[in-house]
Amino acid sequence: MIERIPQYIKGYVKIKLISPMPERFLSLCVHNRIPVWNLISRQSAYEFEMELSVRDFFRLNNFRRKTHSKIILLEKHGLPFFFQRNQKRKAFFLGIVLFILLLYGVSLHIWEIQLQGNHQYSDETIRESLLSLNISDGILKKKIDCSQIAAHIRQQFPDIVWVAARIDGTCLVIQVKENEDSYRESSKENNHLDSWDLTAQKDGVVRSIVTRAGTPLVQAGQICKKGDILVTGQIEILNNDAQVQRYEYVKADADIMMETTYAYYHEFPLKHQVKHYTGEEKNYYAIRVLERNFSFRSPSEKSEDIYHFSYPLYLTESFRLPVSFEKIQTFPYTLTEEIYTKEEAITIEEEQIRIFLENLVKNNVQVLGQNIQITVTQTTCMAKGTVTACEPCIVKTAVTKEQIQPPENNLQ
């Protein structure tokens, strides 16, 4: 197929050869370096069909006379004949030229920003940060500095440890790699310390404690307040007289589970609005060019849910055009005011409590029990109570180092 492109550009013809000496005719073509292709024998041994270039077609006259042959022109192919047939259609060729110029102008811009590898930060968040560099859809390629974009993203988002930006067609591709070993802020703040204590993050009761490094100051069953030291990184070194000779400081480490309490409160009105869909679903279509939307949908005064489905137009995988097609679906509805019954309100509130408890479990909190009362009045439904849980709620704090004064020698 690729070999036919030069032939199509230069133009070629298909002919029918009727000759009593076809072997001599073809030998003359080979001797004079006239290539032919798609050679087919027709009906008898004296009739052949073949294809050759336009230039070589005009060199066959001498071969025809020498072999007493007859040549019939069957078909014409290629650009020269195409232009000859359409030489009066100037507007058509002008449109082709304008389309090529427009396509060239479009290729000088960026029409899509593709983000890859981001999980913690959404695409919208990173795109908004790029606006400070005036990076957005439609910017000229020559105004883009990929190294500056990479440095800006690393500065704005500390959890992103690697960034690579490149231009691919009309797309700006930004690949990022986030820090997979993310810790709590409290741990990050104390990473520079050579020792620390473990303190209670909230009020509770110690359920279990297993110490690996440091000195435990509490036991299982002991009540603790927020900020109390549970395991200290300060270790006493005693002398032979059981007196403190010096202190050594370590990074306290322990598995501590505390029984804590969560307060729960949720309230909602019984009166609410309900959507009743009419079933008159309609589909509309629109074309978006640059920032303008050309829609065939007229504004509606009815209340309706509207869903937009966008389909960008690509020439290739990396060559996006500033044109997209949109499908718009509308679902008209009417609003009516209704009041939940007592049973419906209790069911809704129980679902809210279930979601609250599931979120605790997702945060590695073990739920031990709950004491939540649901009250339904004439206007509202209210749930109030507590949830008892077990969790490792500890934080690291710096150790306050003490100086040991050497004992004085008392002369008797």
Side-chain angles (χ1 to χ4, degrees), residues 259-301:
E259 182 179 321
T260 59
T261 302
Y262 286 85
Y264 180 85
Y265 180 84
H266 182 256
E267 182 179 359
F268 65 92
L270 298 181
K271 185 182 291 185
H272 63 285
Q273 291 185 334
V274 179
K275 294 180 180 180
H276 296 279
Y277 292 95
T278 62
E280 299 176 358
E281 176 186 348
K282 294 184 179 180
N283 296 328
Y284 301 92
Y285 298 92
I287 300 176
R288 187 176 183 84
V289 181
L290 297 177
E291 297 298 326
R292 298 196 61 182
N293 196 0
F294 301 92
S295 175
F296 302 101
R297 173 177 176 267
S298 58
S300 176
E301 298 180 356

Side-chain angles (χ1 to χ4, degrees), residues 202 260-264 356 360 363 365 385-391 393:
K202 59 171 68 174
T260 59
T261 302
Y262 286 85
Y264 180 85
F356 176 77
L360 291 179
N363 293 325
V365 177
T386 58
V387 176
T388 304
C390 187
E391 59 180 323
C393 50

Side-chain angles (χ1 to χ4, degrees), residues 338-352:
E338 297 183 3
I339 298 177
Y340 290 120
T341 64
K342 183 177 180 180
E343 292 75 14
E344 290 176 341
I346 293 175
T347 302
I348 294 174
E349 190 55 55
E350 288 177 346
E351 179 66 17
Q352 293 296 324

Side-chain angles (χ1 to χ4, degrees), residues 86-102:
N86 299 277
Q87 59 182 350
K88 296 183 179 180
R89 302 178 181 177
K90 297 180 180 179
F92 174 76
F93 294 106
L94 180 62
I96 294 177
V97 174
L98 292 178
F99 175 76
I100 294 174
L101 294 177
L102 181 62

Side-chain angles (χ1 to χ4, degrees), residues 111 287-290 311-314 320-325:
W111 300 111
I287 300 176
R288 187 176 183 84
V289 181
L290 297 177
Y311 304 95
L313 185 61
Y314 292 84
R320 179 184 171 179
L321 298 176
V323 179
S324 60
F325 298 97

Side-chain angles (χ1 to χ4, degrees), residues 89-146:
R89 302 178 181 177
K90 297 180 180 179
F92 174 76
F93 294 106
L94 180 62
I96 294 177
V97 174
L98 292 178
F99 175 76
I100 294 174
L101 294 177
L102 181 62
L103 202 61
Y104 173 74
V106 167
S107 66
L108 300 177
H109 297 258
I110 293 294
W111 300 111
E112 184 179 15
I113 300 176
Q114 297 179 357
L115 296 170
Q116 301 174 359
N118 56 309
H119 303 286
Q120 182 176 354
Y121 302 102
S122 63
D123 293 356
E124 291 74 15
T125 302
I126 298 179
R127 286 194 179 99
E128 287 179 1
S129 70
L130 294 177
L131 292 178
S132 59
L133 298 177
N134 296 323
I135 303 297
S136 61
D137 295 344
I139 186 174
L140 285 170
K141 291 181 181 179
K142 64 180 181 181
K143 294 184 178 180
I144 293 179
D145 187 350
C146 292

Side-chain angles (χ1 to χ4, degrees), residues 61 144 156 179 189 202 241 244 293 295 309 370:
N61 195 31
I144 293 179
Q156 294 294 320
N179 185 11
E189 294 174 356
K202 59 171 68 174
D241 297 329
V244 179
N293 196 0
S295 175
F309 302 91
Q370 58 170 312

